Amino acid sequence: MCCSFAQLYLKGTLILNFIPVFESIKPMIRKIANNTIVLVIALFACNFTSIAAPDGKALFQSNCASCHNPLKDATGPALKGVDARVPSKEWLYDWIHNSPKVIASGDKYANDLYNKWGKTVMTPFPSLSTEEIDAIITYVNSVEPAAAVPAAGGSTQAAKDSDGPAWLYTVITLILAVLAIIMWRINHGLQRVSNDKEGIATPRDIPLYRNKVVIALAVILAFIFAGYFIVDGAINLGRQQNYQPEQPIFYSHKVHAGINQINCLYCHAGAEKSRHAMIPSPNMCMNCHKQINEYTGEAQHPLYTAEGEKVDGTAEIQKLYKYAGWDPAKKDYIRNADGSIKASPVKWVKIHNLPDHVYFNHAQHVNVGKVACQRCHGPIQEMDEVYQFSPLSMGWCVNCHRQTQVQFADNNYYSIFEKYHEEIKSGKRTGVTVEDIGGAECMKCHY
Amino acid sequence: MSQKQYWKGLEELQNTATHTETVDNEFKEPLPFELSDKLLDATTPRRDFLKFLGFSTVAATLAASCEMPVRRAIPYAIKPEEIVPGIPNYYASTFVDGGEYCAVVIKTRDGRPIKLEGNEKSSITQGSTSARVQAAVLNLYDKTRLRQPYADGKEATFEAIDRRVMEGLAGATGGAYLVTSTIISPTTKDVIAQFIAKYPNVKHVVYDAISYSGMLLANEQSYGKRALPSYHFDKAQTIVSLGADFLGTWLSPIEFSKQYSVGRRISAKNMNMSKHYQVEANHTISGAAADHRATCRPSEMGAVAVALYNAVTTGAAPALASKNLNILVAKAAADLKKGNGIVVSGSNDVNVQVVVNAINSAIGANGTTINWAITSNYKAGIDADMQTLVAAMNAGQVGAIMLHDVNPVYDFHNGAAFAQGLAKVPVTVSFAERMDETAQKCKYVVPDHHFLESWGDAEPKTGYYSLMQPGIAPLFKTRAFQDSLLLWAGATTNYGAYWNQYWMGKLGSQQNFDQALQDGVIEPATMPMAGGASAANVGGAVAAIQAMKPASGMELVVYEKISIGRGGAWSNNPWLQEMPDPITKATWDNYACVSPLTAKNLGEELTGINEVDSKKRVLKIKANGKEILLPMVVVPGMHNDVVAIAVGYGRDKGVGRAAADTGKNAYPMLAFNGTTTINHAPATIEKTGDVFDVAITQTHHSYEGRKIVREYTLEEFRKDPNHLINDRKAEIGHYTHLPWEHHDAAPAAGHGEAAAAGHDAHGAHAAGAAAVAAHGMDENTKATIEMEEGFRENGTLYPNYVAPGIHWGMSIDLTSCIGCGACVVACQAENNISVVGKTHVLKSQEMHWLRIDRYFSGMPDDPDTIQTLFQPMLCQHCDNAPCENVCPVAATPHTSEGLNMMTYNRCIGTKYCANNCPYKVRHFNWMDWNGADAFADNLYEDYRRDDMNDDLTRMVLNPDVTVRSRGVMEKCTFCVQRLQEAKLTAKQAGRPLKDGEARTACQQACASDCIVFGNVNDPNSAIAKIRHQEQQERVFYVLEQIHTLPNINYLSKVRNTDIIVAGDEKLDGIMNAHI
């Protein structure tokens, strides 16, 4: 909950709240009560506009992060300062909405970029509004390189980057607030003195804590804040974004999928065929680890847990041998009396949990939808210890279904949607999103 | 004719005050709040409410502050190559239950069987199943199955038992017996032969609880073969059944239902239909399906056969006791003489069967509809053998006895004598899978595997083989029956190896073997057909029948229920126990069925006995010197002098929780007549002062007199095929156009143009119809499409939403539906539907998504006037659904594919939707039916269903379907998980969905192919063709006039009969009731 409060500061809303405070100091001499109302209204107005405004960071992570990093070149270029590099803001909007179209139009900058990046086409995002794009740009521009942070802490790093100015704002706000109160009290005293001098009776001062208006406002405020946080908290119940448990074997996706470039589908073969991506059984690991019995990447990539403890990769491979029933000395499996291998399953801690009433199918997304693993699992090839990258909330799912286009032209299954094909032909629509073919309906996931 | 009315039960016909009250009060239990002037005196006063509120808030807060549990994801240690987690594997196998046969495909998920489907490769069952086949998978996970062998009632090891049994067999003085049910497995027969070779004093006795000895012996007399022929109901133009429920329980009902449905496919373009005559004593589903039905006393069946024989051979006019019988026999004889006839009889009397054989010979059925070239092996038991055995046992002449798949202590007519004899046998071995009535009295119990855990084979018909392969490794320490025999015979191979060798030898190569195992069946390409010369002394049989004294007074008929059958393990199957009987709609019990007139004569006022009130008067029934007390259930259509009782009830506790403490055992009421066991007897009935609750599902879900079903005689349909179209037009025609438009302004051609232009008003829905039009549209197609589309758009103020891609639709043919209930259980197995138990069925809380409504018409007092029809009723997936608008939390919206969704996690249980559903197809979860064991002592009052809450039983749940908890609504989803799976397969292959690729569970289970499902937008789909080309004259939608736009259409019932009783001035019960 504290985090959420800090986020409000981060958005700079409370700073704005005090601008009307200063403006209203003068009339406040006579109409304190009225102006308090103005203040509250202003406060709410600012709050609500800030809540409704697009969240650049969230948008970046759900749409761009699988290919782009703000600071480093990845599948696509580093994005910080992108608005300054490109020919114009309108060009950028066009590019993001439909990059193949911009390339096809013969635009020089676009074609240079295309060629420079090995002719990799950027996924079009026609549903991102210009405000949302602006918010993303604002976010990427605000990201500062982290100084001497261990490589593992990628996600906390992002949070720290924006922490600096937020705290600064908070301190300034507090100082200004104290100043405002002092000024108001001085004003108040001065007025009483002048009233006394002019012989005007000063109305009896009702202390703030007994002022009915103040009490009412405080109650309303408390109600709104409490309601907001309770609802927010309740919605987040059972969600575990960033969950990063300790596993029975320190298996590094960075070493396997990142450094050694092993295809995800080699181990998670189910992702293309089944609803389950499938965790490989130990005998699958042994396909490679019969030969590879020590970790030799120590110099290039030393292994640390999230807590910073050193991990011995070779010892972890030995753990695998125990599970797989492999005798590294004899280079053979240990067998039971009936000839079966004495293997036992690894009890991995499940990170990505969906409630029982949700049906999710990997094959639908990976094989049919051609969604990259990273779109949901984040930079998995960068993770030594896996954490849950996405919130896995229903809003997150639905949002993606609204934005993502299906493989409408390439997959002949969709040929039955004659109406949409005609609309595309006539230029009435640019593409078909998952939502257009019923992807936001309850019974696509709940049955 | 438009006045046709049907009634679901006598209370609806009489429209009693209590019935009206129940109909008004749909949810029997009121909310647990009581209104009172003094709030604090109410049972749940305001303060209590506040306390509950406070408690739940605090509890929720505490629960929320707990940490998330750590969940584990555990992969295989060594993953089997053929298993991909989340993808089902299918294995062809064989269902065998005491000679009853069905070729099946086992669906396994992550290594456990969860569903059985029919194997379409079998030419015998052709992919059909029955309710029992569908429910068989639940028996695998039955908690009551034995988990190890027993000796002297104590747990023992196989080694110890083997040693003692082999000693016992070697030293057995007197005869030793192996008693089995009919065995149709060729390898098992070989194993038994090996066993007998080792122990020559062993005699093999085949014992069938439901005996077909009469037929076997009669066939021996008539054709010289103690065998059963193959029947071809599909080739028959005239079917006469004398008391044989061949669609429900007789011999091989799955096979016969499929064949029968071939002759019932009627359309305006093909007006040919078989004619089915049924003479019976009680009311069966075959009788309900019949075109012409008359009742007789069971003892009179022989006389009916003789009358039919005489009418066929000499043309003599029948002179039977009832006028209706005479009419039926005369007409049937005339039709049979036209050729392509078939006569079957359910009698176990040799003489009756000899006469039936003679009729079949006389009409030339042998070689056309009855095939003697390929004989059936379903039943082989001869009753006299069992009599000899019991006599020998009681005389102390038996040294050892082994019992496999038989339970004579329970189901032998003289079970007590069998039990006495068993006590005198030194070595008694049972291979029962549970401690049933006989196993309890045996010294050794060596439990056999369940068939889903076994290798095996079957030869249902000579030369037609079917292989059985396991879907799971044995769950418990059980051993194949054949393994035990081989071991005791001193063989060195086990049955698995023996079986493998046998089939490898027979099939020649590994490749053939693998193919056969994959197909599941090995069958000749064509079936040879041959008749047989009937050489029996018909005169003798006729004389013997005529010599029998005509009975007077009441008679008892003992019958098999379609769900429970002979009893066995089925008695402990909660799915089958809760499946409503097709005719009585009763669950969980057996009872005495009597006709309404008989009930009235017993002195009860009719309205007092088959009232909505579940309390049924208990009768005392005496027959063959035995008496039992059973509640009376009134069944219209029963002969007035007949009381009928089902077997399979009155089981011991050892059989299981669901079976015990319910009903009475009717087997002891049977008697042996010197040759065969006869299933009827003279009886007396007497009413007692007691009452007993019977949970009957009809008349739950009343339509309050609205017109739901449409029925025509074949003659009416021939004369005016468009009657139904005109009827519909009269009802909705006024709303098919806007008032200011001319009625006939839209010419048919304009329709197509509108659709082609992508005009949303007509939209994609019309596109399919328009495409049909392009194939050559006849008048009726044009008329119906215009009417339906016009009504869709203009019959409402709501906008017309279109399904841009797929639009699912279903068609249900009332003519071919026989009401067998396979779909009900299939739906239950597929969709994790909860069993609620008897106490909750009594409260109308049954959960079946698909129910079969049974309608009667006719005069209750005259059983021969009763016509019965069935209508499967499930969520109609209305495009303008009344339930959707009233949900306050949008938990039940509509998809772009035409499905009416139900989102359990969103539902808050207001039940508004159920109240507003005109079809009464929504069901509310009043309890946590599947997870109630999460807390100690939390199981519900009806312990008979509580095994469903066991970890073992829960293995049957389909992991692709949410298990619903308390407080949510649920209903048919059109098996959306199957639709999604089919779509995914198509998407992965990058091709459009094929017609027939997505099938619902009910459709797949149906033996008579009356359910067709598919994409209506695809003009080449079967469903679109039915609606707009082939069957448009018969299509109707239930309650179409209220503009719910259902996505399920029905096809009208056409009966090949002279008169439809409903609406007939003399015979219609409703008309007469209100005079």
Side-chain angles (χ1 to χ4, degrees):
Chain A
M1 285 189 185
C2 290
C3 294
S4 312
F5 204 70
Q7 274 165 12
L8 277 180
Y9 274 100
L10 188 140
K11 290 164 196 156
T13 54
L14 291 190
I15 297 296
L16 292 174
N17 295 344
F18 283 90
I19 297 167
V21 177
F22 291 127
E23 281 174 356
S24 57
I25 281 178
K26 220 170 148 190
M28 202 189 275
I29 294 173
R30 294 200 191 279
K31 295 176 177 176
I32 294 171
N34 285 356
N35 281 292
T36 320
I37 292 165
V38 172
L39 170 105
V40 170
I41 290 168
L43 182 104
F44 286 145
C46 296
N47 253 330
F48 284 119
T49 45
S50 71
I51 285 164
D55 181 346
K57 186 180 171 187
L59 283 167
F60 176 81
Q61 286 192 338
S62 62
N63 293 300
C64 324
S66 50
C67 298
H68 292 281
N69 185 299
L71 304 169
K72 283 183 281 186
D73 285 352
T75 314
L79 287 185
K80 189 165 176 166
V82 66
D83 48 339
R85 292 201 298 266
V86 298
S88 71
K89 216 153 196 185
E90 280 61 43
W91 183 93
L92 187 62
Y93 294 151
D94 288 346
W95 175 262
I96 291 170
H97 284 151
N98 195 348
S99 65
K101 202 172 149 194
V102 183
I103 297 167
S105 73
D107 183 273
K108 189 177 175 312
Y109 186 85
N111 278 293
D112 287 350
L113 195 66
Y114 181 56
N115 292 329
K116 186 184 164 195
W117 287 92
K119 305 209 171 189
T120 313
V121 184
M122 177 172 148
T123 321
F125 294 91
S127 51
L128 284 179
S129 66
T130 49
E131 291 83 37
E132 284 171 331
I133 294 172
D134 287 342
I136 293 171
I137 302 298
T138 318
Y139 165 71
V140 291
N141 286 343
S142 72
V143 176
E144 294 297 331
V149 175
S155 66
T156 48
Q157 184 187 334
K160 274 181 192 153
D161 287 342
S162 45
D163 273 1
W167 281 109
L168 198 65
Y169 288 141
T170 314
V171 172
I172 295 172
T173 310
L174 283 176
I175 294 169
L176 288 178
V178 172
L179 265 178
I181 291 168
I182 294 169
M183 298 273 277
W184 172 49
R185 290 312 297 178
I186 292 171
N187 240 327
H188 198 72
L190 286 177
Q191 196 191 5
R192 192 185 294 165
V193 172
S194 77
N195 279 354
D196 285 350
K197 231 176 218 171
E198 288 170 25
I200 301 167
T202 313
R204 205 164 67 83
D205 231 10
I206 302 167
L208 266 184
Y209 60 88
R210 285 181 62 190
N211 186 325
K212 279 184 184 164
V213 175
V214 172
I215 291 170
L217 284 173
V219 167
I220 291 169
L221 270 181
F223 190 78
I224 287 168
F225 274 100
Y228 173 77
F229 289 123
I230 286 171
V231 169
D232 198 47
I235 287 174
N236 280 307
L237 272 182
R239 290 194 193 149
Q240 35 192 25
Q241 195 173 9
N242 296 325
Y243 178 44
Q244 190 177 25
E246 200 176 308
Q247 298 287 2
I249 297 180
F250 186 91
Y251 171 87
S252 166
H253 275 84
K254 179 161 187 173
V255 171
H256 290 83
I259 296 168
N260 288 311
Q261 297 280 309
I262 300 171
N263 190 327
C264 305
L265 294 173
Y266 180 77
C267 304
H268 301 291
E272 265 200 319
K273 296 181 249 177
S274 167
R275 63 184 285 197
H276 304 298
M278 220 168 80
I279 298 175
S281 56
N283 68 330
M284 184 86 171
C285 309
M286 292 308 293
N287 287 350
C288 297
H289 279 286
K290 276 182 190 169
Q291 272 74 43
I292 304 166
N293 52 14
E294 57 181 347
Y295 181 55
T296 52
E298 199 56 48
Q300 184 200 0
H301 178 67
L303 300 172
Y304 291 95
T305 64
E307 290 79 28
E309 282 169 43
K310 183 84 187 68
V311 174
D312 177 3
T314 307
E316 298 300 320
I317 297 176
Q318 293 297 325
K319 278 191 202 165
L320 166 70
Y321 288 162
K322 208 162 268 171
Y323 282 111
W326 175 258
D327 185 344
K330 287 190 199 153
K331 293 209 177 290
D332 198 4
Y333 284 112
I334 307 161
R335 287 176 190 273
N336 292 318
D338 62 352
S340 60
I341 298 169
K342 211 172 180 174
S344 55
V346 188
K347 292 183 178 173
W348 300 102
V349 179
K350 199 165 178 238
I351 299 171
H352 300 88
N353 291 299
L354 287 178
D356 287 345
H357 54 254
V358 182
Y359 181 92
F360 173 84
N361 194 312
H362 271 95
Q364 168 70 56
H365 291 81
V366 177
N367 192 353
V368 178
K370 312 279 181 224
V371 178
C373 306
Q374 284 85 348
R375 186 84 182 265
C376 307
H377 292 288
I380 196 93
Q381 71 282 6
E382 304 284 317
M383 300 181 194
D384 275 324
E385 276 184 292
V386 178
Y387 61 89
Q388 184 179 321
F389 173 80
S390 308
L392 299 189
S393 66
M394 184 164 133
W396 173 80
C397 290
V398 171
N399 205 30
C400 190
H401 280 193
R402 286 191 179 131
Q403 291 170 349
T404 311
Q405 301 216 339
V406 294
Q407 311 285 321
F408 204 67
D410 305 336
N411 193 330
N412 205 25
Y413 168 80
Y414 300 107
S415 61
I416 52 169
F417 292 88
E418 284 163 20
K419 187 179 153 214
Y420 292 154
H421 280 288
E422 266 167 35
E423 285 178 9
I424 289 173
K425 221 185 269 170
S426 63
K428 238 170 141 185
R429 62 163 68 228
T430 50
V432 177
T433 64
V434 183
E435 189 185 22
D436 290 336
I437 55 163
E441 291 162 0
C442 311
M443 240 192 209
K444 288 293 181 306
C445 313
H446 303 294
Y447 50 76
Chain B
M1 290 306 289
S2 58
Q3 290 304 310
K4 275 179 208 167
Q5 293 282 355
Y6 297 84
W7 33 283
K8 276 182 168 176
L10 291 164
E11 64 274 35
E12 194 170 282
L13 174 63
Q14 303 285 329
N15 204 14
T16 58
T18 10
H19 172 65
T20 325
E21 195 184 306
T22 329
V23 167
D24 290 344
N25 186 11
E26 190 181 337
F27 301 105
K28 282 199 173 172
E29 274 189 355
L31 286 173
F33 294 109
E34 249 176 48
L35 286 180
S36 165
D37 292 338
K38 291 175 190 149
L39 264 178
L40 288 177
D41 292 343
T43 44
T44 316
R46 187 181 53 90
R47 282 188 186 176
D48 275 356
F49 174 76
L50 289 175
K51 278 181 214 161
F52 293 143
L53 184 73
F55 172 76
S56 29
T57 314
V58 172
T61 318
L62 283 176
S65 60
C66 294
E67 277 186 21
M68 290 290 289
V70 172
R71 297 185 182 89
R72 300 275 171 180
I74 304 174
Y76 283 98
I78 295 168
K79 189 177 86 69
E81 217 166 297
E82 68 277 11
I83 292 181
V84 179
I87 304 254
N89 283 353
Y90 295 88
Y91 299 98
S93 190
T94 303
F95 165 95
V96 177
D97 174 42
E100 195 181 328
Y101 163 79
C102 184
V104 295
V105 174
I106 312 169
K107 178 186 184 185
T108 67
R109 260 296 290 275
D110 308 341
R112 56 193 169 86
I114 57 166
K115 181 94 172 45
L116 295 182
E117 304 292 359
N119 183 353
E120 279 154 21
K121 290 230 155 93
S122 162
S123 67
I124 298 172
T125 55
Q126 297 175 52
S128 320
T129 55
S130 67
R132 286 212 291 274
V133 173
Q134 289 291 341
V137 69
L138 189 62
N139 281 358
L140 171 66
Y141 303 114
D142 190 331
K143 222 177 124 182
T144 331
R145 282 182 60 201
L146 294 178
R147 302 182 182 209
Q148 66 272 311
Y150 285 82
D152 302 318
K154 287 195 267 308
E155 292 177 18
T157 60
F158 283 119
E159 293 73 28
I161 291 180
D162 288 344
R163 193 162 25 84
R164 290 169 63 187
V165 170
M166 281 159 83
E167 280 168 18
L169 281 172
T173 52
Y177 283 88
L178 172 64
V179 187
T180 67
S181 58
T182 302
I183 285 176
I184 60 172
S185 155
T187 50
T188 308
K189 280 181 186 161
D190 274 14
V191 167
I192 291 173
Q194 273 192 39
F195 183 73
I196 293 176
K198 164 85 181 180
Y199 301 101
N201 61 337
V202 170
K203 288 188 201 68
H204 181 199
V205 171
V206 177
Y207 162 65
D208 295 317
I210 304 291
S211 162
Y212 288 79
S213 296
M215 271 179 91
L216 289 162
L217 296 173
N219 289 343
E220 193 173 23
Q221 283 186 28
S222 301
Y223 304 101
K225 285 184 202 172
R226 192 185 276 192
L228 304 169
S230 289
Y231 292 96
H232 292 277
F233 288 92
D234 49 337
K235 298 200 169 87
Q237 194 56 42
T238 309
I239 298 162
V240 180
S241 165
L242 306 178
D245 182 13
F246 62 95
L247 298 175
T249 51
W250 187 75
L251 210 57
S252 181
I254 305 173
E255 175 189 354
F256 300 152
S257 305
K258 190 85 180 181
Q259 294 176 351
Y260 180 75
S261 72
V262 173
R264 314 299 280 179
R265 300 248 167 278
I266 177 126
S267 72
K269 291 168 187 71
N270 169 29
M271 294 281 199
N272 291 322
M273 189 177 178
S274 65
K275 176 132 187 166
H276 173 190
Y277 295 92
Q278 181 92 7
V279 180
E280 57 187 11
N282 54 335
H283 196 349
T284 66
I285 62 166
S286 305
D291 299 309
H292 192 158
R293 175 179 181 271
T295 55
C296 73
R297 290 167 166 278
S299 60
E300 210 181 348
M301 205 57 91
V304 176
V306 170
L308 184 63
Y309 174 69
N310 288 336
V312 167
T313 50
T314 65
L320 292 155
S322 116
K323 192 183 78 192
N324 293 327
L325 275 175
N326 287 335
I327 297 170
L328 183 141
V329 169
K331 283 193 173 172
D335 278 345
L336 284 173
K337 278 194 257 184
K338 290 181 198 156
N340 290 327
I342 188 170
V343 183
V344 291
S345 164
S347 174
N348 203 30
D349 187 317
V350 180
N351 292 323
V352 177
Q353 293 288 358
V354 167
V355 174
V356 168
N357 285 344
I359 302 171
N360 279 325
S361 288
I363 59 168
N366 292 322
T368 52
T369 56
I370 296 175
N371 186 2
W372 278 99
I374 300 288
T375 51
S376 305
N377 302 326
Y378 306 126
K379 297 288 166 186
I382 298 298
D383 295 339
D385 295 353
M386 199 60 183
Q387 300 290 336
T388 322
L389 168 63
V390 173
M393 278 180 4
N394 277 304
Q397 294 161 352
V398 180
I401 188 166
M402 285 155 285
L403 301 141
H404 169 245
D405 194 31
V406 289
N407 185 9
V409 172
Y410 169 71
D411 58 22
F412 185 55
H413 73 88
N414 200 353
F418 190 92
Q420 274 171 18
L422 203 58
K424 293 180 185 155
V425 180
V427 180
T428 50
V429 184
S430 169
F431 299 98
E433 49 153 27
R434 64 189 67 232
M435 252 332 158
D436 61 24
E437 291 83 349
T438 309
Q440 284 171 10
K441 296 196 158 46
C442 286
K443 209 170 186 135
Y444 308 107
V445 184
V446 189
D448 191 5
H449 298 322
H450 187 262
F451 83 90
L452 290 172
E453 302 167 333
S454 316
W455 291 101
D457 45 25
E459 191 183 3
K461 286 179 197 278
T462 315
Y464 285 69
Y465 298 101
S466 184
L467 298 181
M468 182 191 284
Q469 63 175 320
I472 192 169
L475 291 168
F476 306 122
K477 269 188 245 160
T478 54
R479 187 169 72 185
F481 155 69
Q482 298 92 336
D483 270 338
S484 299
L485 288 195
L486 281 171
L487 202 77
W488 298 342
T492 45
T493 52
N494 65 8
Y495 176 60
Y498 179 82
W499 176 87
N500 201 30
Q501 207 183 337
Y502 179 96
W503 285 107
M504 279 296 287
K506 203 151 187 159
L507 293 162
S509 68
Q510 185 70 39
Q511 197 191 347
N512 289 352
F513 176 82
D514 291 347
Q515 189 61 44
L517 200 56
Q518 193 182 342
D519 291 346
V521 291
I522 307 154
E523 295 183 345
T526 51
M527 186 185 259
M529 177 69 95
S534 175
N537 175 9
V538 186
V542 170
I545 290 168
Q546 280 166 345
M548 284 191 342
K549 225 175 27 193
S552 61
M554 292 298 286
E555 286 190 53
L556 165 77
V557 172
V558 175
Y559 72 101
E560 272 181 286
K561 259 196 183 186
I562 196 166
S563 50
I564 306 294
R566 64 173 168 148
W570 307 118
S571 300
N572 195 41
N573 190 313
W575 287 350
L576 292 175
Q577 284 283 7
E578 193 153 301
M579 179 190 129
D581 181 80
I583 301 290
T584 63
K585 292 287 153 197
T587 59
W588 289 102
D589 271 303
N590 74 339
Y591 33 78
C593 306
V594 296
S595 76
L597 189 66
T598 313
K600 222 188 262 178
N601 290 341
L602 278 168
E604 295 277 347
E605 257 314 296
L606 189 63
T607 48
I609 36 180
N610 207 33
E611 184 56 54
V612 251
D613 186 3
S614 57
K615 291 198 170 15
K616 308 293 179 199
R617 185 54 65 95
V618 173
L619 298 184
K620 184 189 276 179
I621 301 118
K622 285 188 197 161
N624 280 329
K626 313 265 171 34
E627 67 169 56
I628 49 176
L629 294 166
L630 276 174
M632 168 178 70
V633 168
V634 177
V635 182
M638 295 266 305
H639 190 278
N640 282 330
D641 292 323
V642 168
V643 54
I645 303 175
V647 295
Y649 289 84
R651 304 300 304 265
D652 185 85
K653 277 202 170 52
V655 179
R657 258 186 186 167
D661 298 337
T662 179
K664 298 281 161 51
N665 185 4
Y667 279 114
M669 314 286 274
L670 302 174
F672 185 67
N673 74 350
T675 330
T676 53
T677 310
I678 298 298
N679 73 337
H680 56 85
T684 57
I685 58 172
E686 214 178 293
K687 91 180 156 164
T688 67
D690 295 339
V691 286
F692 184 84
D693 275 325
V694 180
I696 297 183
T697 61
Q698 213 97 69
T699 50
H700 300 170
H701 318 293
S702 174
Y703 287 99
E704 309 183 25
R706 292 177 188 127
K707 200 150 114 190
I708 304 296
V709 288
R710 316 272 183 150
E711 191 182 17
Y712 300 96
T713 67
L714 182 61
E715 209 41 52
E716 285 168 0
F717 186 59
R718 274 195 185 131
K719 255 190 225 150
D720 181 13
N722 294 340
H723 188 278
L724 181 52
I725 295 182
N726 295 334
D727 223 21
R728 288 172 66 200
K729 210 176 255 169
E731 230 162 36
I732 62 171
H734 185 63
Y735 306 102
T736 55
H737 56 285
L738 296 171
W740 52 88
E741 279 178 358
H742 290 296
H743 188 40
D744 48 1
H751 204 89
E753 280 162 27
H759 197 265
D760 261 12
H762 291 271
H765 193 81
V772 172
H775 289 253
M777 178 156 71
D778 67 10
E779 277 306 305
N780 280 340
T781 310
K782 205 160 66 181
T784 49
I785 290 177
E786 224 166 81
M787 173 174 74
E788 284 172 16
E789 291 308 319
F791 184 58
R792 174 175 283 270
E793 287 154 40
N794 301 325
T796 178
L797 292 172
Y798 286 113
N800 180 27
Y801 297 101
V802 292
I806 294 171
H807 194 167
W808 300 112
M810 183 183 268
S811 170
I812 301 176
D813 188 344
L814 296 186
T815 304
S816 45
C817 175
I818 56 169
C820 69
C823 50
V824 176
V825 182
C827 175
Q828 189 153 24
E830 173 72 20
N831 292 304
N832 301 339
I833 293 170
S834 309
V835 173
V836 302
K838 183 178 165 184
T839 40
H840 289 271
V841 175
L842 283 169
K843 294 177 187 165
S844 311
Q845 291 169 3
E846 65 271 10
M847 299 300 294
H848 294 134
W849 287 0
L850 166 61
R851 65 172 192 269
I852 301 179
D853 281 340
R854 165 220 59 191
Y855 291 94
F856 292 119
S857 52
M859 296 291 288
D861 288 355
D862 182 357
D864 293 347
T865 66
I866 297 290
Q867 284 177 344
T868 310
L869 60 85
F870 299 106
Q871 181 176 44
M873 184 47 73
L874 56 159
C875 174
Q876 303 285 302
H877 292 274
C878 311
D879 276 342
N880 184 15
C883 55
E884 292 172 6
N885 306 350
V886 294
C887 181
V889 291
T892 179
H894 213 66
T895 75
S896 54
E897 293 174 359
L899 300 183
N900 171 247
M901 301 185 264
M902 184 64 230
T903 321
Y904 313 119
N905 43 315
R906 195 155 189 156
C907 175
I908 56 167
T910 62
K911 305 190 272 298
Y912 293 173
C913 54
N915 281 321
N916 213 31
C917 172
Y919 305 98
K920 313 288 181 200
V921 291
R922 289 178 157 268
H923 302 275
F924 184 69
N925 279 280
W926 291 88
M927 302 278 176
D928 185 3
W929 300 119
N930 295 286
D933 59 332
F935 302 99
D937 303 324
N938 189 37
L939 296 176
Y940 299 110
E941 64 263 49
D942 192 346
Y943 66 92
R944 284 179 62 201
R945 62 156 301 280
D946 279 352
D947 278 356
M948 295 305 290
N949 281 337
D950 193 78
D951 277 339
L952 178 66
T953 319
R954 276 193 287 250
M955 278 169 74
V956 81
L957 294 176
N958 183 354
D960 288 337
V961 178
T962 309
V963 175
R964 282 80 60 187
S965 187
R966 174 161 54 185
V968 298
M969 272 289 163
E970 60 183 65
K971 53 146 212 109
C972 162
T973 60
F974 264 172
C975 287
V976 63
Q977 68 280 4
R978 287 173 170 232
L979 311 186
Q980 290 293 88
E981 193 189 330
K983 278 158 62 189
L984 181 58
T985 314
K987 282 181 203 166
Q988 282 181 303
R991 56 166 172 79
L993 192 75
K994 285 186 221 153
D995 189 38
E997 208 174 4
R999 288 198 289 175
T1000 62
C1002 50
Q1003 175 191 21
Q1004 202 167 359
C1006 182
S1008 39
D1009 293 330
C1010 62
I1011 302 178
V1012 174
F1013 179 83
N1015 175 10
V1016 187
N1017 279 352
D1018 172 7
N1020 295 317
S1021 67
I1023 179 82
K1025 280 185 184 159
I1026 280 184
R1027 284 193 186 169
H1028 300 300
Q1029 280 181 346
E1030 289 158 9
Q1031 292 285 16
Q1032 66 235 5
E1033 292 82 3
R1034 289 176 60 213
V1035 166
F1036 70 95
Y1037 296 84
V1038 174
L1039 302 181
E1040 185 180 22
Q1041 70 276 18
I1042 59 175
H1043 202 273
T1044 48
L1045 305 176
N1047 275 321
I1048 296 185
N1049 72 270
Y1050 290 85
L1051 301 181
S1052 61
K1053 172 98 182 166
V1054 177
R1055 243 186 238 274
N1056 191 357
T1057 186
D1058 300 337
I1059 197 156
I1060 294 297
V1061 211
D1064 182 81
E1065 267 177 39
K1066 275 192 284 215
L1067 301 174
D1068 186 342
I1070 291 210
M1071 282 192 178
N1072 290 289
H1074 298 303
I1075 289 169

